[in-house]
Amino acid sequence: MPIPFPGLNDTLSLLQTLGGVGKNGPLTYEEPLEINLGKKMTSLIGPINLVKRFAQFMYHTRAGGIDPPFLPKATVEDVYRLFAWINYYKSVISVDNVGGAAQGAVMTQAVLEALRDGQYRADKKALRRTHKYDASVTVIVGHDNDFNAIATSLGLRWKLSPPYYQGDEGEYTPIPPGSAMHFVHDVDSGAVGSSFLYPIHLNGEGLTWTLNKTGILESAPVLFVPNEEESHLSEDQKTTWIRPVGDDNHTGIDVLNKRVISMLEKYPEAVECYSEVVDCSRTVEYTQIEVNLEPELKLLYVRNPTLIMCGVFFLGFLFACALMKKQVERKFNGRQARYTECARE
């Protein structure tokens, strides 16, 4: 996989220009990238980790509205140029390898089950329904590595519009914060549609830029690579639809199921994992809501589980309050006992 333009050494020189030279000396680096193929996971060794970390600081401080942002002399072009290294790094680590395929087998099974049944429950207990709805929406929360895992197990790619850069041939899988995979199952026709939703956080040129606070998401079709299925783009070119041809008993979900099995043949180690998941689903974090919409089943896969993190912090806060309450009660009871003893004397 080719590295982002203009290369690692020139990128390090750019960071050095923007941030200066630290006490450990210049950042320039002449040696090639080194990839560690570990038993559990693949990792990249060397200064590319510094580039990725700086790129994350530069992007997130601006997208998060922090003033001043990290390396304030950087232009919008610099920020998106560095952001390409994050996409490259994640693609090398998570896409088209055994680990990604095994993880993707678990996640994809949850996606297909939600599309087929209109719900996903890891414990297999049916949701209690008190009303009838025309549509069901399932939201599965995850991280960028989960996106890449699903991309591996289904052979998916997506091409985002500028300012995002993802290689000359679309080799990287860019996943901006706040992105989502959107799957739609049209129950009447059996077709399944897929698209990639993403925000453009920074607009402008040079040092003059504005933060996009509208919450509006752009849309790009999710492409199948290789494209061996009967798929086609929607009229607006933003959704890829799979419709079974010549067999009324099969649906787009069946086509995707066969595709998963076909893609996993490249990774024999992941086949066993997939077989176990089919027999007994593993735990996957999810949130489900039901709404009265058009007569179709929709699934939205969202990155950045902010709600879950808020819940964790809230539980931690309650736990801390409980400990403080016990300490106060212990001190109060001790003082009360001493006052009672003094009164008796």
Side-chain angles (χ1 to χ4, degrees), residues 27-335:
L27 298 175
T28 52
Y29 183 72
E30 299 294 344
E31 298 180 18
L33 287 174
E34 183 178 352
I35 300 177
N36 178 29
L37 300 176
K39 292 183 178 180
K40 293 186 178 181
M41 63 179 296
T42 302
S43 60
L44 299 181
I45 301 174
I48 186 175
N49 292 282
L50 176 67
V51 173
K52 179 180 76 78
R53 188 68 65 187
F54 274 35
Q56 290 173 327
F57 291 159
M58 292 170 65
Y59 192 92
H60 290 287
T61 54
R62 287 164 175 80
I66 297 177
D67 187 23
F70 184 71
L71 297 182
K73 295 180 181 179
T75 64
V76 174
E77 293 79 9
D78 293 334
V79 173
Y80 281 111
R81 175 179 164 188
L82 268 293
F83 188 78
W85 282 94
I86 302 176
N87 302 330
Y88 169 82
Y89 188 99
K90 294 290 185 178
S91 297
V92 171
I93 295 296
S94 308
V95 179
D96 293 344
N97 55 42
V98 175
Q103 181 181 353
V106 178
M107 302 300 301
T108 302
Q109 180 61 25
V111 171
L112 296 179
E113 181 177 329
L115 289 173
R116 182 183 64 247
D117 301 335
Q119 62 181 25
Y120 176 76
R121 291 298 299 263
D123 56 11
K124 296 303 178 185
K125 294 180 181 179
L127 285 178
R128 193 171 149 191
R129 299 178 183 271
T130 57
H131 302 284
K132 291 184 178 181
Y133 294 92
D134 294 329
S136 177
V137 177
T138 302
V139 179
I140 301 179
V141 180
H143 296 278
D144 45 8
N145 287 339
D146 297 318
F147 279 68
N148 287 329
I150 293 177
T152 299
S153 62
L154 282 173
L156 304 179
R157 293 294 186 273
W158 47 88
K159 190 172 181 62
L160 309 189
S161 60
Y164 294 110
Y165 173 77
Q166 55 192 98
D168 295 335
E169 302 296 330
E171 302 93 346
Y172 319 149
T173 53
I175 308 171
S179 300
M181 279 184 181
H182 186 204
F183 294 92
V184 182
H185 177 208
D186 189 316
V187 179
D188 294 333
S189 66
V192 173
S194 56
S195 57
F196 189 88
L197 309 179
Y198 63 98
I200 297 179
H201 293 103
L202 308 178
N203 296 315
E205 297 180 355
L207 294 173
T208 305
W209 55 272
T210 58
L211 178 60
N212 181 10
K213 300 180 181 180
T214 64
I216 297 175
L217 299 178
E218 305 295 326
S219 180
V222 172
L223 306 176
F224 294 87
V225 181
N227 187 12
E228 301 172 348
E229 274 63 44
E230 296 292 336
S231 65
H232 68 277
L233 295 178
S234 59
E235 293 183 3
D236 59 5
Q237 304 291 300
K238 294 182 177 181
T239 304
T240 300
W241 286 95
I242 291 182
R243 288 185 171 88
V245 178
D247 191 347
D248 296 336
N249 295 324
H250 287 78
T251 66
I253 297 176
D254 298 321
V255 176
L256 293 179
N257 224 339
K258 292 180 180 179
R259 183 174 178 87
V260 173
I261 297 174
S262 175
M263 297 300 296
L264 290 182
E265 290 178 354
K266 304 177 184 178
Y267 315 99
E269 299 90 339
V271 174
E272 182 180 355
C273 181
Y274 179 72
S275 301
E276 293 179 2
V277 172
V278 172
D279 294 335
C280 180
S281 277
R282 303 233 178 132
T283 302
V284 179
E285 295 175 334
Y286 69 92
T287 303
Q288 170 148 334
I289 58 175
E290 293 181 332
V291 292
N292 191 9
L293 298 173
E294 300 173 2
E296 52 188 28
L297 299 180
K298 296 186 177 181
L299 182 139
L300 182 64
Y301 186 87
V302 184
R303 180 188 171 189
N304 291 339
T306 306
L307 183 60
I308 293 178
M309 292 300 297
C310 291
V312 171
F313 284 123
F314 181 68
L315 291 176
F317 174 73
L318 293 180
F319 181 72
C321 290
L323 290 179
M324 292 178 62
K325 180 180 178 182
K326 288 184 178 180
Q327 292 178 355
V328 171
E329 289 178 347
R330 191 179 298 114
K331 291 182 179 179
F332 176 78
N333 293 334
R335 290 180 180 178

